[in-house]
Each structure stands twice: as structure tokens, then as C-alpha cells.
Amino acid sequence: MKKVFAVLGDPIEHSLSPIMHNSAFEALDMDCTYHAFRVGKNDLENALQGAKAMGFGGLNLTVPLKETALSFVDADPLAAKIGAINTIDFKDGIKGYNTDGIGAKRTIEDEGVEIKDKNVLILGAGGAARAIAFTFAEAGARVNIANRTPERAMQLAAEIGDAKGYGLDIVDKGLDEIDILINTTTVGLGHSNGTLVSAEQMHSDLAVFDIVYNPLMTKLLQEAETAGARHITGIMMLVYQGAEAFRIWTGREPPIEIMKRTVMEALDI
Ligand code: ATR
């Protein structure tokens, strides 16, 4: 019988997860199907129990469920530290994972950029920043966080332990010591054309990664190009966070290129 997978969230209409995972199942000739369901916070516990009872293969969670889910799942240690769940596996109870940080890590490694012992500056201190900060710290990076509200950056740094938190003005002091710059804020999204760092503040050995993928070449990445720095677009983070979930559920090697092509086509890139 077909194995069912799904993404839950609200709003959910624009999720790319169904086409991405269905393209992967099809490519590997697996008898599986992936759907999107609109589920709010109040219905999450029932939805999880129902999906488990009906033999679902696994779930992804998106806004506004990622944090709420911690109360209803057996969270793996990294997800518990991050404080958010984006992947649920039903093989052994209801286990919760967070693959967002791993998605970012793989995206950067894919570009040949090492993370271990590197100085990383993360812009932002929201959910995506938490996932990336804890995952990169665990991978041996020296993590720095700069946020518009400095207290949030300092709080996150304190939770990580061996990390530092700042206001955005740290950027004005220069990025000479930084190897990898990651934007997790919404600045640059859509037609805003904003950037928190300009070409003059960058250096050519810097790797600049923007998790925003709409547009693909954000203003920040254009600035990186001007500075002669390496620039990495957000599209592969979307693919890799899904690919890691796929690996957790199925134990199979995800067809990355096919997943990427499907997402790029859907975004008309
Ligand atoms: P997510 O979970 O997607 O990371 P979030 O938790 O809403 O989203 O976090 C958004 C991040 O973008 C925050 O770090 C936010 O800064 P504050 O903590 O000061 O709110 C940052 N952000 C949003 N708009 C910004 C802007 N115009 N300039 C600078 N930072 C901004």
C-alpha cells in the first residue's frame, strides 16, 4: 500500500515540499505520496496522533508549528537545543528532528567551503538562525551572531555557550576575521532589495550565503559578487533540508539533482 507523507502548517498552499518529495519518490520508483495539509497549532497534537495511527511514513512541519511540536514529540538532542521541529518520523514512536541547520551546512560544504574551525557570522537570531547556529557550533565552527535586537543575539550565543552575540553595528567594525557570512533575516526578501552588508565591508576570501531564495540573487549576494567574494544562494538549503528529512524517513539516498530541478522549475528560475 502507498506510504503517505505530508507537510503540515498554516498557510500551506505555497509549500514546495509536495512537488519536491513527490519528484524524489517518482525518481526512485517508490510507492509513496506526499501531500500538504492545513493544520494550526490547536490541532497539531491530534494531527500527529492521527498520522501515526494511519501509518503515515513521516511529516514535515512549517510555520506556525515548529516550536509547538516540541511538546508532542520525542525530540532528538539537536532539535531540542534549537527549540524547533521540522521533520517527524513515525518508525519508533513520534520522533522529532530539525534538518534546517543541516540543510545550510550541506549547502555550504557543497560549495567546497569548510566549516570546522571557521569564523562564522550569522545575521539574525530567529528560528533559522537558531538552527544554523547550533548545527554549525556542533560542526566545530566559531559562531558569532549579529541581530537588530542585540539581546536576542546575546541570548542565543549564551545558549550555545562558546559563541558571541552582537548588534548589527559589529559589521561596521569590519569582517576581516570572518570566513563565512550567513543572512537569516528577511532583509532582501522579495522586491525589498535591502542588504545588511555592503561590498566595501566584505573581502574576497569571504563566503556569503543568503538563506533567502526569492530572489535567488539577493542584494547581499550581488554585493558579495562585487567584492569578489564567493556567493551561495538559498535554493539548496530548501533542497537539502528536505533531502535530510527524506533520508531520515526512507534510509535512501535522496536524488538531490532531481529535487533541485523540480524546485527551480516551480520557482521559474
Ligand atoms: P525566522 O524564524 O524565519 O528566522 P524570525 O524569528 O521572525 O524568522 O526572525 C527574523 C529575523 O530577521 C530576526 O533576527 C529579526 O531581527 P529582530 O530579532 O531584531 O526582530 C530580523 N529582521 C527582520 N527584519 C529586519 C530588518 N528590517 N533589519 C534587520 N533585521 C531584521
Side-chain angles (χ1 to χ4, degrees):
M1 202 167 67
K2 240 184 213 329
K3 204 76 176 158
V4 179
F5 296 80
V7 58
L8 314 183
D10 186 14
I12 200 65
E13 298 81 315
H14 300 295
S15 173
L16 293 169
S17 293
I19 57 157
M20 181 168 74
H21 284 289
N22 282 323
S23 75
F25 290 139
E26 201 176 313
L28 298 183
D29 205 14
M30 295 169 73
D31 195 18
C32 301
T33 181
Y34 190 112
H35 299 275
F37 294 104
R38 199 167 99 207
V39 174
K41 284 184 186 179
N42 292 340
D43 292 317
L44 180 60
E45 187 175 14
N46 284 337
L48 295 180
Q49 295 294 345
K52 167 98 183 141
M54 288 189 287
F56 274 38
L59 297 173
N60 284 127
L61 301 180
T62 185
V63 177
L65 306 176
K66 290 184 179 188
E67 289 84 10
T68 312
L70 275 173
S71 316
F72 308 125
V73 305
D74 174 15
D76 95 320
L78 179 61
K81 277 197 265 183
I82 294 168
I85 304 288
N86 79 332
T87 299
I88 288 178
D89 184 52
F90 292 115
K91 278 193 285 297
D92 178 21
I94 304 182
K95 290 212 85 169
Y97 301 87
N98 189 310
T99 66
D100 286 334
I102 306 165
K105 181 170 166 282
R106 295 229 171 200
T107 300
I108 290 176
E109 286 172 344
D110 215 29
E111 293 286 329
V113 178
E114 285 241 10
I115 287 169
K116 193 170 177 345
D117 296 327
K118 292 293 164 64
N119 288 315
V120 178
L121 177 62
I122 298 170
L123 304 173
R130 289 185 69 85
I132 293 174
F134 279 107
T135 308
F136 279 47
E138 209 162 80
R142 285 189 288 272
V143 173
N144 301 277
I145 304 144
N147 195 44
R148 178 176 61 180
T149 313
E151 295 73 26
R152 283 186 89 191
M154 289 169 195
Q155 167 69 33
L156 175 53
E159 283 181 52
I160 291 169
D162 196 15
K164 295 199 179 91
Y166 306 94
L168 288 174
D169 53 351
I170 190 71
V171 170
D172 299 327
K173 300 204 172 88
L175 300 177
D176 292 355
E177 303 292 313
I178 301 298
D179 304 299
I180 303 170
L181 175 70
I182 305 175
N183 176 51
T184 72
T185 75
T186 46
V187 177
L189 187 66
H191 300 293
S192 69
N193 207 30
T195 180
L196 295 174
V197 185
S198 61
E200 303 80 66
Q201 294 163 314
M202 298 177 186
H203 58 84
S204 58
D205 289 333
L206 192 65
V208 182
F209 172 45
D210 201 335
I211 74 162
V212 170
Y213 57 82
N214 178 23
L216 207 53
M217 267 310 266
T218 58
K219 178 81 172 144
L220 176 75
L221 295 184
Q222 290 172 30
E223 295 291 306
E225 196 173 34
T226 304
R230 189 191 287 260
H231 51 281
I232 305 169
T233 69
I235 193 81
M236 288 313 284
M237 176 164 162
L238 175 70
V239 174
Y240 274 124
Q241 62 78 28
E244 285 310 307
F246 188 95
R247 215 190 292 273
I248 288 169
W249 299 325
T250 67
R252 306 262 315 250
E253 194 55 38
I256 301 285
E257 278 309 313
I258 286 166
M259 295 167 83
K260 178 182 174 188
R261 204 180 322 133
T262 305
V263 167
M264 303 261 292
E265 273 170 21
L267 290 170
D268 209 9
I269 297 169

